[in-house]
Amino acid sequence: MIALNSKVQVVDHPVVQHLLTKLRDYQTQSPDFRRYSITLSQYLVYEASRQMTVRELGVETPVGQAKGSSLTDYVILAPVLRAGLVMAEAAQKMLPAARIYHVGLKRDEETLEAVSYYAKLPDSLPPDSRIIVLDPMLATGGSAASAIELFAKLNVGTIQLVSFVAAPEGIKRVHSQFPDVHITVGSVDSNLNEKGYIVPGLGDAGDRIFGT
Ligand code: PRP
Ligand code: URA
């Protein structure tokens, strides 16, 4: 694992890098892209979950007493539609008690600003909430920042972001607005092109996942 700074973690695990390479390959077709995306999400969310808090406790095994621990966070998964859906599917398998709040955002391809089309959040959340925003591509950072803002307004808990690939511009944007958000990624790529795509990136994640 490489820590770019205390708030950005790049998962350099060989399996993660293998899966990411499969996703980057323009020849990878949707069914495989989706399958690799789900597996990659599991690894990334697993690494992100190192941030979670635990309570120490004792446990009785069939042959004695052991020291143990139990997860204490009230976990909320916040997939950014559409592409974040595959990440939520993977994350929920690992964290079955997690609540899921979907965030519908569409990037305006002219202005590159995120436009909200769905957000149904409660008025309040428990103070020990841990919100894990799931968005495969952190490009300009507009979508991730809008999703984070929805939860930040509720003034609770801890917010994390998990992405497959980030551009330096996206990380900068998120951290300029929300310096405490911990970001877990498979790679920080070179830059954005004139259309706001991550270079080299993996193309349009939503289109490749859903075959559109
Ligand atoms: C893509 C991607 C991110 C967003 C990243 O979504 O899935 O949500 O762009 O770009 P940004 O960091 O510049 O905001 P898109 O708007 O294409 O929607 P989709 O997932 O429905 O295809
Ligand atoms: N959205 C994507 O799906 N890919 C990019 O490279 C940028 C935004």
Side-chain angles (χ1 to χ4, degrees):
M1 206 128 55
I2 304 168
L4 283 195
N5 59 50
S6 66
K7 294 291 176 189
V8 183
Q9 169 192 36
V10 181
V11 183
D12 63 348
H13 190 290
V15 177
V16 166
Q17 295 307 315
H18 171 84
L19 291 164
L20 195 51
T21 304
K22 293 286 188 190
L23 294 183
R24 289 189 191 279
D25 188 341
Y26 79 97
Q27 297 191 77
T28 301
Q29 299 297 309
S30 275
D32 285 333
F33 194 94
R34 209 159 33 237
R35 196 163 49 83
Y36 293 134
S37 294
I38 291 172
T39 315
L40 175 62
S41 302
Q42 282 171 343
Y43 282 100
L44 292 176
V45 172
Y46 170 77
E47 288 297 346
S49 68
R50 284 182 195 277
Q51 302 291 321
M52 289 169 68
T53 49
V54 293
R55 179 170 58 89
E56 294 194 354
L57 46 76
V59 62
E60 200 168 330
T61 80
V63 288
Q65 294 285 332
K67 285 183 185 166
S69 63
S70 156
L71 296 169
T72 60
D73 293 322
Y74 182 96
V75 179
I76 291 173
L77 302 172
V80 176
L81 304 179
R82 293 171 298 166
L85 283 175
V86 282
M87 300 182 76
E89 189 182 328
Q92 204 185 19
K93 286 203 177 91
M94 204 180 326
L95 301 164
R99 277 76 177 170
I100 301 190
Y101 287 104
H102 298 88
V103 179
L105 290 165
K106 174 81 196 85
R107 199 168 76 147
D108 180 318
E109 294 303 337
E110 297 294 319
T111 64
L112 298 184
E113 283 305 314
V115 180
S116 167
Y117 61 87
Y118 182 81
K120 197 171 168 205
L121 266 59
D123 296 333
S124 65
L125 287 169
D128 58 344
S129 294
R130 177 174 296 273
I131 295 107
I132 307 179
V133 175
L134 303 167
D135 190 350
M137 307 305 282
L138 179 58
T140 64
S143 303
S146 299
I148 291 165
E149 191 172 16
L150 292 172
F151 292 94
K153 272 191 213 155
L154 299 178
N155 265 330
V156 283
T158 308
I159 304 178
Q160 294 183 234
L161 169 65
V162 182
S163 299
F164 295 172
V165 183
E169 294 90 331
I171 292 175
K172 203 168 161 194
R173 167 125 180 220
V174 167
H175 278 160
S176 67
Q177 279 180 257
F178 306 103
D180 292 334
V181 168
H182 193 282
I183 304 177
T184 303
V185 292
S187 172
V188 179
D189 278 10
S190 163
N191 59 286
L192 293 178
N193 68 15
E194 67 289 349
K195 290 186 173 163
Y197 275 77
I198 302 175
V199 182
L202 49 77
D204 189 310
D207 282 356
R208 295 192 69 191
I209 288 167
F210 296 108
T212 52

